[in-house]
Amino acid sequence: MKPEKLQPLPGMNDLQFPEILHWQHVEEVARNVFGRFGLREVRTPLLERAELFERSIGDTTDVVQKEMYVFEDRGGRRVALRPEGTAGVLRNLAGRGPEGRAERVYYMGPMFRSERPQAGRRRQFHQIGVEILGPAEPLVDAECIVLQVLLLEAFGLKKFGLRLNTRGSEKDLPRLRRSLRDLLESRQARLCEDCRRRLQSNVLRILDCKQETCQAVVRELPPLDEFMSQESRDYFNRLERALDEIGISYEREPRLIRGLDYYLHTIWEIFHPALGAQDAISGGGRYRVDLGGESIEGIGFALGMERVIEALQAEGAGALSAATDGPQVWLVSIGRDAALANLALATDLRRKGLHCGGEFQSRSAKAQMRAAGRSGAELVIVRGSAEIERGTVVLKDMKTGNEDAVPLTEIVETVLGRVNREAGHDTAGTSR
RNA sequence: GUGGGCGUAGCUCAGCUGGUUAGAGCGACAGGUUGUGGCCCUGUAGGUCGCGGGUUCGAAUCCCGUCGCUCACCCCA
């Protein structure tokens, strides 16, 4: 067991080889897909004024009320580690003036929520997100959803499902809340303790309460869109038609509501059946956020990188080979003089772009060969005092076991030739 | 914040109802080949049994506390 001091904080993990290969893969694929949709990357600070999140996410939400890392900085400002990405990105875009109001951007990076860790839920977790600004338009919503589906497909995921719903327009929301409260108040005896509190603070959340008793009450309610205007219903119908036309399958989920206050109209979640309790790998929606007296409209989504990677592993698609970034050449040195000479040679080879390994300390030849074998290198260069005298090295092919004496003057050339041939042959299916 | 499960070697774990020097496999390291890997054989290193307290002649084992991990609630990506 490691001493406590050497362990990271609860819910915060080191990411390292070999799992890090999955992370790099996901990031690389995401950048590629975003390029196809004309999105630019934006990187915003991890630390922001606490009120930025309180105002945009909503100060009655759980995320803000009990999960945010809030503290005072040295200047006496109330600051918070970002619990999600949208607020910071919108702050940035709003500050860019009118052009910012039509930007399409993506971001990726760590977010922080002080919850009790469990499978698929860390205190520091990582999201990849997208924000497409501009006035409400069903076709933009459809494009955003398509983007997200293509992204997940590009990662190699197959078994995910899309749940879709609408919260109605900004004008509908107050009426929706009021109607729900009226309907639910008469049945509040059958609601759980939390939901009775939510009647006042956040009625909508009652809809997706997990308590069976509350679910029963919710099932008695009429469909939500009965409380919405004709425009809102038309808006959602146009979106559904667009998705059908494009060929994106989804499931209408009338009780889907989502936890942040800024959503309106289209909202959705993407879940993966292999994931257990935390099965939402991604979620998004259309929003309107007021920042500094200006209101910003757009649509966006965020996906949880650790959940996506977990899903990839569950599907068995993520079998990334550790060998893809291993050394191509390994240098074995017998004696200190040889070690120095080999370090010089390794420098030449590395300058030419080769992946070189080797220990420049005189262990036994046997131990060094064992290490060479384990490294997976295709070629091994062996040099001892005899080779130094003759001005040669021994070049060994680890597959065939053949050894040749190669003059020092030709070794770089020879290795480059051999490795290139093998590389062209061998890496067809890998991502080197 | 609430509840369940689990903390024994670098890793995966064994250790029966408390009994004397705490084990195995894998891995690491070394030797078997005075300078050659993947197989085989031999050996070596490595453990405050998470930590603290209690019960007992005696605790890895039982009890309490604590810390950590983990799963679930809650919430969300």
Side-chain angles (χ1 to χ4, degrees):
Chain A
M1 280 292 103
K2 274 181 210 142
E4 199 178 307
K5 293 262 167 63
L6 289 182
Q7 285 193 36
L9 260 12
M12 309 212 171
N13 305 58
D14 298 322
L15 299 171
Q16 60 199 332
F17 183 85
E19 310 86 70
I20 197 75
L21 294 176
H22 291 287
W23 289 76
Q24 291 169 346
H25 169 250
V26 163
E27 287 165 6
E28 196 181 321
V29 168
R31 291 204 153 88
N32 178 294
V33 171
F34 292 147
R36 298 182 219 167
F37 282 79
L39 302 184
R40 304 258 168 75
E41 182 174 5
V42 57
R43 303 190 191 188
T44 66
L46 305 192
L47 204 57
E48 299 264 10
R49 292 172 202 280
E51 59 171 302
L52 172 68
F53 303 112
E54 291 162 349
R55 293 224 319 257
S56 59
I57 300 170
D59 45 18
T60 63
T61 58
D62 289 313
V63 170
V64 165
Q65 272 192 343
K66 40 190 211 196
E67 295 169 7
M68 214 158 59
Y69 282 95
V70 184
F71 55 95
E72 207 170 84
D73 75 1
R74 284 169 187 266
R77 285 172 284 255
R78 273 185 73 246
V79 297
L81 285 168
R82 63 184 190 190
E84 55 97 61
T86 302
V89 170
L90 295 188
R91 177 194 49 64
N92 167 278
L93 294 179
R96 291 203 219 165
E99 312 92 76
R101 233 48 59 74
E103 279 282 351
R104 302 153 65 92
V105 299
Y106 74 90
Y107 59 87
M108 44 180 81
M111 308 293 164
F112 303 85
R113 292 183 199 174
S114 181
E115 306 172 271
R116 193 82 171 265
Q118 81 188 63
R121 195 174 75 186
R122 316 270 74 193
R123 288 184 174 178
Q124 175 175 330
F125 61 106
H126 299 78
Q127 289 189 334
I128 297 178
V130 161
E131 310 297 345
I132 297 175
L133 297 200
E137 161 57 47
L139 291 186
V140 176
D141 298 10
E143 187 193 17
C144 188
I145 291 170
V146 169
L147 162 55
Q148 170 150 43
V149 169
L150 290 198
L151 180 59
L152 295 174
E153 284 172 1
F155 291 149
L157 276 181
K158 296 195 164 54
K159 298 185 207 151
F160 56 89
L162 171 62
R163 296 180 184 134
L164 191 64
N165 197 19
T166 177
R167 293 181 24 145
S169 73
E170 228 173 358
K171 283 178 199 140
D172 294 335
L173 273 169
R175 189 159 47 121
L176 175 61
R177 288 205 176 89
R178 205 172 337 107
S179 311
L180 275 177
R181 191 174 298 137
D182 289 346
L183 285 166
L184 288 168
E185 259 169 2
S186 60
R187 301 161 220 239
Q188 66 170 295
R190 286 149 61 206
L191 292 176
C192 72
E193 200 182 314
D194 283 335
C195 284
R196 265 175 262 155
R197 189 165 36 75
R198 287 176 181 137
L199 272 175
Q200 298 313 316
S201 62
N202 203 345
V203 211
L204 291 176
R205 295 226 52 83
I206 298 177
L207 294 177
D208 65 2
C209 179
K210 308 295 184 301
Q211 300 284 326
E212 189 37 51
T213 49
C214 301
Q215 290 284 329
V217 174
V218 167
R219 276 194 290 269
E220 296 168 10
L221 301 176
L224 282 195
D225 39 13
E226 286 202 5
F227 307 110
M228 294 175 194
S229 63
Q230 191 58 44
E231 284 98 322
S232 293
R233 276 184 262 180
D234 289 345
Y235 187 100
F236 193 69
N237 287 339
R238 285 183 59 206
L239 169 63
E240 288 188 301
R241 270 208 306 279
L243 291 177
D244 292 342
E245 173 84 22
I246 299 165
I248 300 288
S249 56
Y250 60 91
E251 197 181 312
R252 179 75 194 269
E253 177 59 64
R255 281 171 299 177
L256 178 67
I257 215 66
R258 301 193 47 75
L260 311 182
D261 280 355
Y262 51 56
Y263 288 120
L264 44 94
H265 282 303
T266 316
I267 52 175
W268 72 95
E269 271 178 16
I270 291 184
F271 63 97
H272 194 279
L275 250 40
Q278 314 297 328
D279 69 343
I281 58 181
S282 179
R286 175 157 287 285
Y287 50 76
R288 175 181 219 125
V289 177
D290 287 316
L291 281 182
E294 294 194 69
S295 91
I296 298 162
E297 281 183 88
I299 185 165
F301 68 82
L303 61 84
M305 293 180 72
E306 20 295 87
R307 289 183 191 180
V308 164
I309 288 166
E310 206 184 317
L312 278 170
Q313 285 168 329
E315 287 194 13
L320 295 180
S321 166
T324 52
D325 67 351
Q328 300 161 291
V329 186
W330 195 269
L331 292 94
V332 169
S333 321
I334 296 147
R336 289 211 178 283
D337 292 344
L340 173 56
N342 272 349
L343 179 55
L345 175 55
T347 304
D348 283 344
L349 293 171
R350 285 167 172 160
R351 199 169 259 143
K352 300 283 186 188
L354 288 168
H355 294 221
C356 287
E359 308 157 39
F360 302 103
Q361 52 193 355
S362 325
R363 287 205 301 161
S364 73
K366 180 174 184 144
Q368 293 189 60
M369 281 307 294
R370 241 199 294 263
R374 234 181 296 121
S375 77
E378 310 248 351
L379 294 174
V380 171
I381 290 169
V382 183
R383 173 147 55 176
S385 49
E387 285 76 19
I388 291 180
E389 250 172 61
R390 279 185 238 123
T392 63
V393 297
V394 171
L395 182 61
K396 175 165 185 164
D397 183 313
M398 292 298 270
K399 260 186 194 151
T400 63
N402 293 340
E403 294 186 6
D404 301 302
V406 178
L408 214 44
T409 49
E410 297 168 18
I411 185 63
V412 172
E413 204 86 347
T414 306
V415 167
L416 279 172
R418 299 271 286 270
V419 163
N420 284 341
R421 212 164 47 229
E422 281 159 21
H425 197 73
D426 220 58
T427 49
T430 72
S431 61
R432 169 149 9 191

PDB file of all heavy atoms in Angstrom, chain A residues 240-263:
ATOM      1  N   GLU A 240     -37.523  16.297 -35.480  1.00  0.00           N
ATOM      2  CA  GLU A 240     -37.731  14.856 -35.651  1.00  0.00           C
ATOM      3  C   GLU A 240     -37.726  14.488 -37.127  1.00  0.00           C
ATOM      4  O   GLU A 240     -37.137  13.479 -37.518  1.00  0.00           O
ATOM      5  CB  GLU A 240     -39.060  14.432 -35.003  1.00  0.00           C
ATOM      6  CG  GLU A 240     -39.009  14.452 -33.485  1.00  0.00           C
ATOM      7  CD  GLU A 240     -40.261  13.837 -32.870  1.00  0.00           C
ATOM      8  OE1 GLU A 240     -41.368  14.349 -33.151  1.00  0.00           O
ATOM      9  OE2 GLU A 240     -40.130  12.873 -32.116  1.00  0.00           O
ATOM     10  N   ARG A 241     -38.368  15.319 -37.932  1.00  0.00           N
ATOM     11  CA  ARG A 241     -38.398  15.031 -39.372  1.00  0.00           C
ATOM     12  C   ARG A 241     -36.991  15.042 -39.947  1.00  0.00           C
ATOM     13  O   ARG A 241     -36.617  14.196 -40.751  1.00  0.00           O
ATOM     14  CB  ARG A 241     -39.287  16.040 -40.109  1.00  0.00           C
ATOM     15  CG  ARG A 241     -40.738  15.610 -40.226  1.00  0.00           C
ATOM     16  CD  ARG A 241     -41.398  16.209 -41.462  1.00  0.00           C
ATOM     17  NE  ARG A 241     -41.258  17.664 -41.521  1.00  0.00           N
ATOM     18  CZ  ARG A 241     -42.033  18.524 -40.839  1.00  0.00           C
ATOM     19  NH1 ARG A 241     -43.003  18.070 -40.079  1.00  0.00           N
ATOM     20  NH2 ARG A 241     -41.833  19.816 -40.952  1.00  0.00           N
ATOM     21  N   ALA A 242     -36.200  16.024 -39.512  1.00  0.00           N
ATOM     22  CA  ALA A 242     -34.826  16.131 -40.020  1.00  0.00           C
ATOM     23  C   ALA A 242     -34.023  14.888 -39.665  1.00  0.00           C
ATOM     24  O   ALA A 242     -33.324  14.314 -40.505  1.00  0.00           O
ATOM     25  CB  ALA A 242     -34.152  17.384 -39.450  1.00  0.00           C
ATOM     26  N   LEU A 243     -34.137  14.440 -38.415  1.00  0.00           N
ATOM     27  CA  LEU A 243     -33.371  13.260 -37.996  1.00  0.00           C
ATOM     28  C   LEU A 243     -33.813  12.019 -38.778  1.00  0.00           C
ATOM     29  O   LEU A 243     -32.986  11.201 -39.180  1.00  0.00           O
ATOM     30  CB  LEU A 243     -33.533  13.030 -36.495  1.00  0.00           C
ATOM     31  CG  LEU A 243     -32.850  14.084 -35.606  1.00  0.00           C
ATOM     32  CD1 LEU A 243     -33.127  13.809 -34.136  1.00  0.00           C
ATOM     33  CD2 LEU A 243     -31.343  14.143 -35.855  1.00  0.00           C
ATOM     34  N   ASP A 244     -35.133  11.913 -39.004  1.00  0.00           N
ATOM     35  CA  ASP A 244     -35.626  10.781 -39.782  1.00  0.00           C
ATOM     36  C   ASP A 244     -35.043  10.807 -41.184  1.00  0.00           C
ATOM     37  O   ASP A 244     -34.577   9.796 -41.707  1.00  0.00           O
ATOM     38  CB  ASP A 244     -37.164  10.808 -39.855  1.00  0.00           C
ATOM     39  CG  ASP A 244     -37.796  10.526 -38.494  1.00  0.00           C
ATOM     40  OD1 ASP A 244     -37.077   9.992 -37.628  1.00  0.00           O
ATOM     41  OD2 ASP A 244     -38.986  10.849 -38.307  1.00  0.00           O
ATOM     42  N   GLU A 245     -35.074  11.988 -41.774  1.00  0.00           N
ATOM     43  CA  GLU A 245     -34.576  12.164 -43.143  1.00  0.00           C
ATOM     44  C   GLU A 245     -33.092  11.800 -43.238  1.00  0.00           C
ATOM     45  O   GLU A 245     -32.656  11.132 -44.171  1.00  0.00           O
ATOM     46  CB  GLU A 245     -34.804  13.629 -43.543  1.00  0.00           C
ATOM     47  CG  GLU A 245     -34.196  14.050 -44.860  1.00  0.00           C
ATOM     48  CD  GLU A 245     -35.110  13.707 -46.045  1.00  0.00           C
ATOM     49  OE1 GLU A 245     -36.332  13.541 -45.802  1.00  0.00           O
ATOM     50  OE2 GLU A 245     -34.594  13.595 -47.168  1.00  0.00           O
ATOM     51  N   ILE A 246     -32.320  12.222 -42.247  1.00  0.00           N
ATOM     52  CA  ILE A 246     -30.874  11.957 -42.265  1.00  0.00           C
ATOM     53  C   ILE A 246     -30.589  10.496 -41.930  1.00  0.00           C
ATOM     54  O   ILE A 246     -29.567   9.941 -42.313  1.00  0.00           O
ATOM     55  CB  ILE A 246     -30.154  12.889 -41.264  1.00  0.00           C
ATOM     56  CG1 ILE A 246     -30.369  14.359 -41.664  1.00  0.00           C
ATOM     57  CG2 ILE A 246     -28.668  12.589 -41.186  1.00  0.00           C
ATOM     58  CD1 ILE A 246     -30.029  15.344 -40.581  1.00  0.00           C
ATOM     59  N   GLY A 247     -31.532   9.880 -41.208  1.00  0.00           N
ATOM     60  CA  GLY A 247     -31.339   8.472 -40.869  1.00  0.00           C
ATOM     61  C   GLY A 247     -30.676   8.264 -39.515  1.00  0.00           C
ATOM     62  O   GLY A 247     -29.899   7.340 -39.334  1.00  0.00           O
ATOM     63  N   ILE A 248     -30.965   9.145 -38.580  1.00  0.00           N
ATOM     64  CA  ILE A 248     -30.461   8.998 -37.214  1.00  0.00           C
ATOM     65  C   ILE A 248     -31.587   8.423 -36.364  1.00  0.00           C
ATOM     66  O   ILE A 248     -32.671   9.010 -36.301  1.00  0.00           O
ATOM     67  CB  ILE A 248     -30.045  10.372 -36.631  1.00  0.00           C
ATOM     68  CG1 ILE A 248     -28.952  11.022 -37.475  1.00  0.00           C
ATOM     69  CG2 ILE A 248     -29.638  10.239 -35.177  1.00  0.00           C
ATOM     70  CD1 ILE A 248     -27.609  10.351 -37.346  1.00  0.00           C
ATOM     71  N   SER A 249     -31.349   7.292 -35.743  1.00  0.00           N
ATOM     72  CA  SER A 249     -32.427   6.727 -34.926  1.00  0.00           C
ATOM     73  C   SER A 249     -32.331   7.225 -33.486  1.00  0.00           C
ATOM     74  O   SER A 249     -31.249   7.460 -32.970  1.00  0.00           O
ATOM     75  CB  SER A 249     -32.391   5.199 -34.977  1.00  0.00           C
ATOM     76  OG  SER A 249     -31.122   4.746 -34.580  1.00  0.00           O
ATOM     77  N   TYR A 250     -33.496   7.393 -32.869  1.00  0.00           N
ATOM     78  CA  TYR A 250     -33.543   7.944 -31.520  1.00  0.00           C
ATOM     79  C   TYR A 250     -34.790   7.419 -30.847  1.00  0.00           C
ATOM     80  O   TYR A 250     -35.648   6.790 -31.477  1.00  0.00           O
ATOM     81  CB  TYR A 250     -33.584   9.473 -31.555  1.00  0.00           C
ATOM     82  CG  TYR A 250     -34.783  10.018 -32.284  1.00  0.00           C
ATOM     83  CD1 TYR A 250     -35.976  10.299 -31.599  1.00  0.00           C
ATOM     84  CD2 TYR A 250     -34.735  10.217 -33.654  1.00  0.00           C
ATOM     85  CE1 TYR A 250     -37.089  10.764 -32.273  1.00  0.00           C
ATOM     86  CE2 TYR A 250     -35.843  10.685 -34.339  1.00  0.00           C
ATOM     87  CZ  TYR A 250     -37.016  10.957 -33.647  1.00  0.00           C
ATOM     88  OH  TYR A 250     -38.108  11.402 -34.325  1.00  0.00           O
ATOM     89  N   GLU A 251     -34.873   7.726 -29.569  1.00  0.00           N
ATOM     90  CA  GLU A 251     -36.011   7.265 -28.787  1.00  0.00           C
ATOM     91  C   GLU A 251     -36.589   8.510 -28.123  1.00  0.00           C
ATOM     92  O   GLU A 251     -35.853   9.270 -27.492  1.00  0.00           O
ATOM     93  CB  GLU A 251     -35.478   6.302 -27.728  1.00  0.00           C
ATOM     94  CG  GLU A 251     -36.486   5.413 -27.071  1.00  0.00           C
ATOM     95  CD  GLU A 251     -35.784   4.548 -26.027  1.00  0.00           C
ATOM     96  OE1 GLU A 251     -34.730   3.956 -26.359  1.00  0.00           O
ATOM     97  OE2 GLU A 251     -36.249   4.518 -24.887  1.00  0.00           O
ATOM     98  N   ARG A 252     -37.880   8.723 -28.256  1.00  0.00           N
ATOM     99  CA  ARG A 252     -38.505   9.862 -27.578  1.00  0.00           C
ATOM    100  C   ARG A 252     -38.627   9.523 -26.102  1.00  0.00           C
ATOM    101  O   ARG A 252     -39.177   8.480 -25.743  1.00  0.00           O
ATOM    102  CB  ARG A 252     -39.889  10.134 -28.172  1.00  0.00           C
ATOM    103  CG  ARG A 252     -40.637  11.279 -27.523  1.00  0.00           C
ATOM    104  CD  ARG A 252     -40.056  12.608 -27.952  1.00  0.00           C
ATOM    105  NE  ARG A 252     -40.533  13.704 -27.119  1.00  0.00           N
ATOM    106  CZ  ARG A 252     -41.611  14.436 -27.389  1.00  0.00           C
ATOM    107  NH1 ARG A 252     -42.317  14.186 -28.460  1.00  0.00           N
ATOM    108  NH2 ARG A 252     -41.966  15.427 -26.577  1.00  0.00           N
ATOM    109  N   GLU A 253     -38.109  10.378 -25.258  1.00  0.00           N
ATOM    110  CA  GLU A 253     -38.099  10.097 -23.817  1.00  0.00           C
ATOM    111  C   GLU A 253     -38.785  11.250 -23.104  1.00  0.00           C
ATOM    112  O   GLU A 253     -38.149  12.231 -22.727  1.00  0.00           O
ATOM    113  CB  GLU A 253     -36.642   9.947 -23.350  1.00  0.00           C
ATOM    114  CG  GLU A 253     -36.448   9.725 -21.866  1.00  0.00           C
ATOM    115  CD  GLU A 253     -37.147   8.487 -21.342  1.00  0.00           C
ATOM    116  OE1 GLU A 253     -36.777   7.390 -21.763  1.00  0.00           O
ATOM    117  OE2 GLU A 253     -38.054   8.650 -20.514  1.00  0.00           O
ATOM    118  N   PRO A 254     -40.121  11.167 -22.947  1.00  0.00           N
ATOM    119  CA  PRO A 254     -40.893  12.333 -22.497  1.00  0.00           C
ATOM    120  C   PRO A 254     -40.540  12.809 -21.096  1.00  0.00           C
ATOM    121  O   PRO A 254     -40.876  13.929 -20.725  1.00  0.00           O
ATOM    122  CB  PRO A 254     -42.346  11.854 -22.565  1.00  0.00           C
ATOM    123  CG  PRO A 254     -42.305  10.401 -22.803  1.00  0.00           C
ATOM    124  CD  PRO A 254     -40.940   9.999 -23.186  1.00  0.00           C
ATOM    125  N   ARG A 255     -39.863  11.972 -20.310  1.00  0.00           N
ATOM    126  CA  ARG A 255     -39.536  12.406 -18.952  1.00  0.00           C
ATOM    127  C   ARG A 255     -38.103  12.924 -18.822  1.00  0.00           C
ATOM    128  O   ARG A 255     -37.674  13.307 -17.752  1.00  0.00           O
ATOM    129  CB  ARG A 255     -39.764  11.258 -17.967  1.00  0.00           C
ATOM    130  CG  ARG A 255     -41.229  11.100 -17.620  1.00  0.00           C
ATOM    131  CD  ARG A 255     -41.457   9.846 -16.847  1.00  0.00           C
ATOM    132  NE  ARG A 255     -41.067   8.676 -17.632  1.00  0.00           N
ATOM    133  CZ  ARG A 255     -41.111   7.440 -17.174  1.00  0.00           C
ATOM    134  NH1 ARG A 255     -41.483   7.209 -15.948  1.00  0.00           N
ATOM    135  NH2 ARG A 255     -40.760   6.429 -17.950  1.00  0.00           N
ATOM    136  N   LEU A 256     -37.371  12.893 -19.922  1.00  0.00           N
ATOM    137  CA  LEU A 256     -36.005  13.425 -19.899  1.00  0.00           C
ATOM    138  C   LEU A 256     -36.060  14.937 -19.675  1.00  0.00           C
ATOM    139  O   LEU A 256     -36.821  15.652 -20.323  1.00  0.00           O
ATOM    140  CB  LEU A 256     -35.307  13.125 -21.236  1.00  0.00           C
ATOM    141  CG  LEU A 256     -33.891  13.666 -21.392  1.00  0.00           C
ATOM    142  CD1 LEU A 256     -32.948  12.957 -20.448  1.00  0.00           C
ATOM    143  CD2 LEU A 256     -33.422  13.508 -22.831  1.00  0.00           C
ATOM    144  N   ILE A 257     -35.264  15.432 -18.726  1.00  0.00           N
ATOM    145  CA  ILE A 257     -35.406  16.843 -18.376  1.00  0.00           C
ATOM    146  C   ILE A 257     -34.048  17.524 -18.241  1.00  0.00           C
ATOM    147  O   ILE A 257     -33.862  18.660 -18.542  1.00  0.00           O
ATOM    148  CB  ILE A 257     -36.242  16.970 -17.067  1.00  0.00           C
ATOM    149  CG1 ILE A 257     -37.092  18.204 -17.138  1.00  0.00           C
ATOM    150  CG2 ILE A 257     -35.396  16.952 -15.826  1.00  0.00           C
ATOM    151  CD1 ILE A 257     -38.149  18.139 -18.216  1.00  0.00           C
ATOM    152  N   ARG A 258     -33.037  16.813 -17.758  1.00  0.00           N
ATOM    153  CA  ARG A 258     -31.658  17.271 -17.580  1.00  0.00           C
ATOM    154  C   ARG A 258     -31.523  18.296 -16.453  1.00  0.00           C
ATOM    155  O   ARG A 258     -32.480  18.951 -16.068  1.00  0.00           O
ATOM    156  CB  ARG A 258     -31.055  17.784 -18.876  1.00  0.00           C
ATOM    157  CG  ARG A 258     -31.075  16.666 -19.917  1.00  0.00           C
ATOM    158  CD  ARG A 258     -30.252  16.933 -21.135  1.00  0.00           C
ATOM    159  NE  ARG A 258     -28.918  17.430 -20.871  1.00  0.00           N
ATOM    160  CZ  ARG A 258     -27.918  16.683 -20.420  1.00  0.00           C
ATOM    161  NH1 ARG A 258     -28.108  15.405 -20.193  1.00  0.00           N
ATOM    162  NH2 ARG A 258     -26.744  17.220 -20.224  1.00  0.00           N
ATOM    163  N   GLY A 259     -30.307  18.363 -15.917  1.00  0.00           N
ATOM    164  CA  GLY A 259     -30.119  19.016 -14.637  1.00  0.00           C
ATOM    165  C   GLY A 259     -29.738  20.479 -14.634  1.00  0.00           C
ATOM    166  O   GLY A 259     -29.704  21.097 -13.585  1.00  0.00           O
ATOM    167  N   LEU A 260     -29.451  21.056 -15.779  1.00  0.00           N
ATOM    168  CA  LEU A 260     -28.987  22.443 -15.758  1.00  0.00           C
ATOM    169  C   LEU A 260     -30.108  23.369 -16.215  1.00  0.00           C
ATOM    170  O   LEU A 260     -30.897  23.026 -17.085  1.00  0.00           O
ATOM    171  CB  LEU A 260     -27.754  22.593 -16.660  1.00  0.00           C
ATOM    172  CG  LEU A 260     -26.671  21.535 -16.417  1.00  0.00           C
ATOM    173  CD1 LEU A 260     -25.461  21.774 -17.310  1.00  0.00           C
ATOM    174  CD2 LEU A 260     -26.242  21.485 -14.968  1.00  0.00           C
ATOM    175  N   ASP A 261     -30.146  24.539 -15.608  1.00  0.00           N
ATOM    176  CA  ASP A 261     -31.278  25.444 -15.830  1.00  0.00           C
ATOM    177  C   ASP A 261     -31.335  26.072 -17.214  1.00  0.00           C
ATOM    178  O   ASP A 261     -32.383  26.498 -17.657  1.00  0.00           O
ATOM    179  CB  ASP A 261     -31.221  26.590 -14.798  1.00  0.00           C
ATOM    180  CG  ASP A 261     -31.770  26.160 -13.450  1.00  0.00           C
ATOM    181  OD1 ASP A 261     -32.266  25.017 -13.370  1.00  0.00           O
ATOM    182  OD2 ASP A 261     -31.692  26.957 -12.505  1.00  0.00           O
ATOM    183  N   TYR A 262     -30.178  26.165 -17.882  1.00  0.00           N
ATOM    184  CA  TYR A 262     -30.174  26.981 -19.093  1.00  0.00           C
ATOM    185  C   TYR A 262     -30.772  26.306 -20.327  1.00  0.00           C
ATOM    186  O   TYR A 262     -30.880  26.923 -21.371  1.00  0.00           O
ATOM    187  CB  TYR A 262     -28.765  27.508 -19.397  1.00  0.00           C
ATOM    188  CG  TYR A 262     -27.615  26.521 -19.427  1.00  0.00           C
ATOM    189  CD1 TYR A 262     -27.648  25.407 -20.255  1.00  0.00           C
ATOM    190  CD2 TYR A 262     -26.471  26.737 -18.661  1.00  0.00           C
ATOM    191  CE1 TYR A 262     -26.590  24.533 -20.301  1.00  0.00           C
ATOM    192  CE2 TYR A 262     -25.388  25.869 -18.704  1.00  0.00           C
ATOM    193  CZ  TYR A 262     -25.454  24.764 -19.526  1.00  0.00           C
ATOM    194  OH  TYR A 262     -24.399  23.906 -19.572  1.00  0.00           O
ATOM    195  N   TYR A 263     -31.176  25.045 -20.207  1.00  0.00           N
ATOM    196  CA  TYR A 263     -31.686  24.354 -21.389  1.00  0.00           C
ATOM    197  C   TYR A 263     -33.105  24.772 -21.753  1.00  0.00           C
ATOM    198  O   TYR A 263     -33.940  25.020 -20.895  1.00  0.00           O
ATOM    199  CB  TYR A 263     -31.701  22.849 -21.159  1.00  0.00           C
ATOM    200  CG  TYR A 263     -30.334  22.220 -21.154  1.00  0.00           C
ATOM    201  CD1 TYR A 263     -29.863  21.537 -20.044  1.00  0.00           C
ATOM    202  CD2 TYR A 263     -29.517  22.321 -22.270  1.00  0.00           C
ATOM    203  CE1 TYR A 263     -28.607  20.955 -20.046  1.00  0.00           C
ATOM    204  CE2 TYR A 263     -28.261  21.752 -22.277  1.00  0.00           C
ATOM    205  CZ  TYR A 263     -27.810  21.058 -21.159  1.00  0.00           C
ATOM    206  OH  TYR A 263     -26.578  20.504 -21.162  1.00  0.00           O
TER     207      TYR A 263
END
